Amino acid sequence: EDQVTQSPEALRLQEGESSSLNCSYTVSGLRGLFWYRQDPGKGPEFLFTLYSAGEEKEKERLKATLTKKESFLHITAPKPEDSATYLCAVGDKIIFGKGTRLHILP
Amino acid sequence: DAGVIQSPRHEVTEMGQEVTLRCKPISGHNSLFWYRQTMMRGLELLIYFNNNVPIDDSGMPEDRFSAKMPNASFSTLKIQPSEPRDSAVYFCASSLQKNTGELFFGEGSRLTVL
């Protein structure tokens, strides 16, 4: 059964303080690992798809990386508007982890 | 494009009542997903359709839940009878190419069962 575990559950950072979020997964045949952002009261919004170990994708202050067992979402010099819940998902059925709630303090 | 449209946005009902949630996917998208989100369990896949055909409904909690997609532009999720433990936010999402993982989510329907 496909499984996704995200850590930490919550993270508070000062504006400009870089950090990384973790997504560990077990899946029978990785067909892609997906990152989403969810703002309060909204549906998740797609960020990236990673297909193979070693692949990296970037968007503004976010960079996603992938290994055979886990993915990291690196946030460089975050701003308050980066505050959100970040979700990762895997598998043919697109199974989501519980997310990391990120709060950036001004 | 209007995006994925869900209705109602909020529903409060009493235990035992029938609840119907509606979804209009993005035009041209051929995959449609229903998810349920709670604090305890996160975002859970209930069912997904490809070209209007249900492909996997293993996430549907029990027989009280049913989903239909009569055509490419409309889907419903029905709960009958509803129970307090069904209280959650229900999301519909559609995708043009499911293998890219790029799902477009609606704003959700928040269900409260008293």
Side-chain angles (χ1 to χ4, degrees):
Chain A
E1 184 179 322
D2 299 346
Q3 285 194 327
V4 180
T5 303
Q6 292 189 246
S7 62
E9 288 186 14
L11 183 61
R12 293 166 71 91
L13 300 172
Q14 289 293 134
E15 183 173 0
E17 181 184 1
S18 301
S19 188
S20 297
L21 314 182
N22 177 264
C23 172
S24 299
Y25 64 90
T26 53
V27 63
S28 53
L30 183 66
R31 295 183 180 84
L33 183 139
F34 320 112
W35 281 99
Y36 281 76
R37 169 189 171 130
Q38 186 176 22
D39 293 300
K42 303 286 187 182
E45 180 182 343
F46 175 78
L47 292 173
F48 306 111
T49 297
L50 301 167
Y51 288 106
S52 57
E55 189 176 356
E56 299 183 352
K57 292 273 179 73
E58 286 190 65
K59 181 178 182 178
E60 295 181 357
R61 294 174 291 282
L62 300 177
K63 184 169 79 172
T65 61
L66 182 64
T67 72
K68 289 185 178 180
K69 297 284 188 183
E70 57 192 352
S71 177
F72 293 93
L73 185 65
H74 308 277
I75 302 175
T76 302
K79 298 182 178 182
E81 53 261 42
D82 295 320
S83 298
T85 296
Y86 291 86
L87 300 162
C88 76
V90 296
D92 193 50
K93 297 198 292 185
I94 309 183
I95 305 299
F96 282 84
K98 292 187 177 181
T100 294
R101 296 188 309 279
L102 177 65
H103 187 59
I104 308 300
L105 302 167
Chain B
D1 198 321
V4 175
I5 299 173
Q6 292 188 244
S7 65
R9 290 295 314 277
H10 302 275
E11 174 94 4
V12 180
T13 191
E14 292 189 346
M15 183 173 64
Q17 297 297 305
E18 178 179 295
V19 174
T20 299
L21 307 178
R22 297 172 178 80
C23 175
K24 177 178 168 54
I26 293 173
S27 177
H29 283 192
N30 56 16
S31 295
L32 183 139
F33 301 74
W34 282 101
Y35 286 88
R36 176 173 68 177
Q37 188 173 42
T38 61
M39 285 294 293
M40 286 292 291
R41 301 174 68 89
L43 197 61
E44 300 174 281
L45 176 66
L46 300 176
I47 186 171
Y48 77 90
F49 295 83
N50 199 45
N51 293 321
N52 311 340
V53 176
I55 302 301
D56 190 322
D57 65 354
S58 59
M60 297 285 262
E62 47 199 271
D63 292 345
R64 297 185 297 107
F65 285 69
S66 62
K68 293 183 180 179
M69 192 165 184
N71 57 62
S73 58
F74 185 66
S75 178
T76 59
L77 178 68
K78 186 175 292 187
I79 308 172
Q80 166 65 12
S82 58
E83 296 183 2
R85 60 189 166 128
D86 303 330
S87 298
V89 180
Y90 290 81
F91 286 103
C92 174
S94 70
S95 176
L96 180 60
Q97 283 184 290
K98 176 175 158 294
N99 61 352
T100 67
E102 186 171 6
L103 305 185
F104 293 81
F105 281 79
E107 303 239 303
S109 294
R110 180 175 293 276
L111 173 64
T112 302
V113 183
L114 303 174

